Amino acid sequence: MDDLVELAVLNERLSGVHEPWEARNRLEMLRTRRKNWEHIFNYVTKQEAAATLELIEAANDQAELLLSDESRERASVSELKLQLQDLQAQVDAASRKLQATQDRVQQNLERVASLKAEAAALEQLSLATPSLSSSSSSSSTAAAPQQQQSASAGPRAAPAAASSVVASTAVLDAPAARSSSSRRSSSSSSARQSPPAAAAAASGRPRPDRGLRSSLDAEPALKEFWYPAEFSSKLGEGVMVPFELFDEPWVLFRDAEGRPSCVRDECAHRACPLSVGRVVDGKIECAYHGWQFDGDGSCTKMPSTLLCRNVAVAALPCVEKDGFIWVWPGEGLPPEVPATTRPPPGYEVHAEIALEVPVEHGLLIENLLDLAHAPFTHQATFAKGWPVPDAVKFHAQRMLSGQWDPYPIEMAFQPPCMTVSNIGLAQPGKIVRGATAESCERHLHQLHVCAPGKKGTTRLLYRMSMDFLGWARHVPGIDKAWKGVAGQVLGEDLKLVLGQQDRLQRGGDTWANPVSYDKLAVRYRRWRNGVAAGRLPDGTTGGGRMGGGEGMDSSSGVIRMTAGELFKLDENEGFVDQQQQQQQQAVEVQQS
């Protein structure tokens, strides 16, 4: 076997086909694999030919094939055993799953049969209920003849009458007997109900529907309005402001002429956020490959490649007015921007703050339109020491008559998402009971813009103006001070509104029992429900106008109300005194 290499090298030298050193290297390489070399030696010695490099390499190929086949044959038995074990385990698991599935199917079939029987019993009960209630008086008069008839019929009639009573009782009790879990669910549900709701359930009368529907989703019809997206003072030259509106990303910047522009915050090339780039000569430049887009969204530059035509990103109509940058996310030609965000004459802006709040914008608007919570929620901040108005106490304690302004506050809701309040101050930092906003010398004007951002979040723009202390605007660090106060007040509200949002997600109802001081928030919710249903009052469209009714400004669509009107008892709004409601329902339950 060792001499085979020398013999092959000698034959290659004599033939002159390969250089001897090349042949030796290739042969020595084959020789390192001992098992192959044995097969090569046996093959070559059986051939009636010269031992050349070509013959030996051909023999090596056959050896490789032969050895691989043997290896597979040796491994096949063990592999087959392992495969057989795996297959057996899979068969056992499948059998167990099949048995479990069959058990569940049988349980479901039994449950379906039970539910069918229960539904039939409930249908019989519902058909029998009207006749029972309508013939309650006649049943008492008919009882005596029936007893006489059964007595005269002898012993055979008594078992028949008894069996009919048992049968009717069985029909009434069948649903409860079949579903103990339903009894537990019903009992726990009635235990959680408020007294009016429990009384209504006991009397069989449904709870009144106030026509209020809360939703955590921004209805598409809400897009047909102008929305303030940023303060004008915050959008300087070369500044980009990314924000979300209706769960879509946008970015604000100023073009070469200084006009505000709003384009989708997503490059048309590789979807990189444009807001991580920069503004160059009034165009926004993507930080990924340097593509540039103008205020209309058109791509004007593509470095390192030929410029492709008709490449653009989406853009929104954008207008600057009354200190805000407004955008229009709706369809079609937008109307004129409403002039409702300008501070009153004589007021100076002291603070402009932008925040992202992790709650749905409607819940936040309803919170801002609610004055009654201030003495309870904000005891550590602006409402420290505020008295609790008697009109708020009324619903839990007693009936009062007359109207009274507990606080010198005027509030308004401006569609689609703005809350305006004007607070009268007898002296800086103090509020006086019994006064009106007009009678006070100093005033604090607040504007809250609650735009729907990412789903479940709100873009909050807060602007505070005052008609006094004008010098305070120039105090160093005053902006941080105001932002700290606003954050503290918002934190007090967030604990409550986040809880409301969680309960809504679990099927709760934030409008189960509205009362008088909810009326401004109720009017907002009714307005929003009407917009969602395609009903804009007075036949108007996306301008957001609302006309008619107390507190309505038909020219601007603003819903205005003083604190006294907020706390006023007004049955025309659909609010009923809960004490009277409870008494009436108790009487109905007793009568039934």
Side-chain angles (χ1 to χ4, degrees):
M1 291 175 59
D2 294 336
D3 292 341
L4 181 60
V5 173
E6 300 299 332
L7 179 60
V9 171
L10 178 59
N11 288 332
E12 290 298 327
R13 181 183 298 168
L14 296 174
S15 64
V17 176
H18 296 93
E19 292 293 333
W21 61 268
E22 180 185 0
R24 182 176 296 277
N25 288 340
R26 290 165 65 175
L27 291 168
E28 290 291 346
M29 207 52 162
L30 298 175
R31 185 182 177 188
T32 56
R33 301 184 62 179
R34 191 69 181 179
K35 196 72 175 176
N36 284 27
W37 194 248
E38 291 179 2
H39 285 278
I40 292 171
F41 178 79
N42 294 331
Y43 176 80
V44 171
T45 54
K46 293 180 181 179
Q47 300 297 320
E48 295 181 356
T52 61
L53 176 61
E54 183 180 1
L55 181 63
I56 291 176
E57 287 181 340
N60 181 69
D61 293 338
Q62 293 184 6
E64 290 282 354
L65 182 60
L66 179 62
L67 290 175
S68 62
D69 291 340
E70 292 178 355
S71 176
R72 281 197 297 270
E73 290 176 359
R74 286 196 300 269
S76 61
V77 176
S78 59
E79 289 178 357
L80 287 174
K81 288 182 179 179
L82 293 175
Q83 292 177 5
L84 182 60
Q85 293 175 0
D86 291 340
L87 290 173
Q88 188 62 42
Q90 294 177 14
V91 170
D92 294 341
S95 299
R96 289 192 298 269
K97 289 182 179 179
L98 177 60
Q99 185 61 41
T101 302
Q102 290 176 344
D103 293 340
R104 285 196 298 269
V105 169
Q106 184 62 32
Q107 292 175 0
N108 289 333
L109 290 175
E110 294 174 357
R111 178 60 179 162
V112 168
S114 175
L115 290 174
K116 286 183 179 179
E118 186 174 347
L122 288 173
E123 185 177 0
Q124 293 179 3
L125 179 60
S126 64
L127 294 175
T129 300
S131 61
L132 291 174
S133 59
S134 62
S135 61
S136 57
S137 57
S138 61
S139 61
S140 60
T141 58
Q146 287 178 358
Q147 291 176 356
Q148 293 175 0
Q149 182 178 0
S150 61
S152 62
R156 294 182 180 177
S163 63
S164 64
V165 173
V166 171
S168 62
T169 305
V171 170
L172 293 176
D173 293 343
R178 292 191 187 96
S179 180
S180 60
S181 61
S182 299
R183 288 202 307 270
R184 289 194 296 270
S185 174
S186 177
S187 62
S188 62
S189 175
S190 60
R192 291 194 300 268
Q193 289 177 342
S194 59
S203 63
R205 182 170 56 85
R207 290 169 56 185
D209 185 0
R210 305 291 184 187
L212 304 174
R213 301 288 183 269
S214 293
S215 172
L216 294 178
D217 297 320
E219 297 84 355
L222 289 177
K223 292 184 178 182
E224 304 302 316
F225 293 86
W226 282 101
Y227 284 85
E230 183 56 283
F231 299 104
S232 296
S233 59
K234 307 294 184 182
L235 190 65
E237 183 181 356
V239 174
M240 292 180 294
V241 178
F243 70 101
E244 298 224 10
L245 186 64
F246 290 98
D247 206 20
E248 294 186 4
W250 303 95
V251 59
L252 293 169
F253 65 99
R254 292 189 182 274
D255 62 15
E257 286 75 30
R259 295 171 301 192
S261 301
C262 181
V263 300
R264 186 173 179 84
D265 193 10
E266 179 182 310
C267 183
H269 177 212
R270 298 282 294 278
C272 178
L274 293 173
S275 57
V276 301
R278 60 176 182 162
V279 177
V280 179
D281 298 330
K283 299 179 179 63
I284 193 166
E285 182 181 88
C286 180
Y288 207 171
H289 299 94
W291 288 26
Q292 292 184 1
F293 300 87
D294 61 17
D296 295 328
S298 299
C299 184
T300 61
K301 186 177 182 181
M302 296 179 183
S304 306
T305 186
L306 294 176
L307 179 64
C308 300
R309 297 182 179 180
N310 302 323
V311 175
V313 295
L316 296 181
C318 196
V319 173
E320 187 170 10
K321 185 176 182 179
D322 295 339
F324 282 98
I325 309 297
W326 299 72
V327 297
W328 172 267
E331 301 291 338
L333 188 65
E336 185 179 355
V337 177
T340 54
T341 56
R342 183 183 304 138
Y347 285 71
E348 292 182 312
V349 176
H350 282 248
E352 291 182 337
I353 301 171
L355 299 169
E356 183 173 295
V357 186
V359 295
E360 191 271 333
H361 80 286
L363 291 177
L364 191 58
I365 292 175
E366 291 168 351
N367 172 267
L368 294 169
L369 295 174
D370 183 347
L371 276 180
H373 78 284
F376 303 97
T377 305
H378 301 293
Q379 296 177 359
T381 52
F382 69 89
K384 187 175 182 180
W386 279 26
V388 178
D390 290 340
V392 179
K393 290 181 180 177
F394 150 75
H395 293 289
Q397 297 180 4
R398 62 188 183 279
M399 175 72 177
L400 297 179
S401 60
Q403 301 181 25
W404 175 54
D405 276 344
Y407 310 125
I409 302 176
E410 296 176 349
M411 299 196 73
F413 165 68
Q414 162 62 35
C417 64
M418 287 162 283
T419 300
V420 183
S421 60
N422 196 31
I423 305 171
L425 302 172
Q427 53 182 306
K430 290 188 178 180
I431 200 167
V432 177
R433 271 175 71 165
T436 63
E438 293 181 357
S439 65
C440 296
E441 296 182 1
R442 302 174 179 87
H443 300 86
L444 175 70
H445 187 270
Q446 297 185 109
L447 172 65
H448 293 82
V449 177
C450 300
K454 200 175 349 183
K455 183 174 181 180
T457 65
T458 298
R459 178 168 174 79
L460 173 62
L461 302 179
Y462 170 73
R463 185 171 68 189
M464 185 195 71
S465 307
M466 295 192 295
D467 58 0
F468 65 102
L469 292 180
W471 55 267
R473 296 184 300 118
H474 307 290
V475 174
I478 192 65
D479 291 341
K480 292 184 179 179
W482 287 127
K483 191 169 184 178
V485 173
Q488 187 176 359
V489 174
L490 181 62
E492 293 172 336
D493 283 320
L494 273 183
K495 293 184 295 186
L496 309 176
V497 186
L498 282 172
Q500 285 182 300
Q501 182 166 274
D502 175 74
R503 296 306 183 265
L504 271 176
Q505 291 171 339
R506 298 168 186 242
D509 184 5
T510 58
W511 291 113
N513 295 287
V515 293
S516 61
Y517 55 73
D518 294 320
K519 62 172 58 179
L520 191 51
V522 165
R523 290 181 179 182
Y524 158 73
R525 183 55 63 177
R526 286 177 178 168
W527 170 86
R528 180 167 167 181
N529 292 160
V531 171
R535 301 189 306 271
L536 287 180
D538 291 347
T540 57
T541 55
R545 296 178 54 197
M546 291 189 65
E550 178 188 359
M552 306 289 183
D553 185 345
S554 60
S555 62
S556 64
V558 179
I559 307 175
R560 302 184 185 278
M561 205 168 289
T562 65
E565 291 171 333
L566 283 175
F567 295 127
K568 174 185 173 183
L569 305 178
D570 189 356
E571 294 186 1
N572 293 330
E573 283 291 329
F575 306 113
V576 182
D577 173 25
Q578 291 181 359
Q579 203 171 34
Q580 292 178 342
Q581 190 179 29
Q582 293 175 16
Q583 293 174 357
Q584 178 66 24
Q585 290 172 346
V587 171
E588 293 177 359
V589 171
Q590 186 175 6
Q591 290 176 350
S592 62

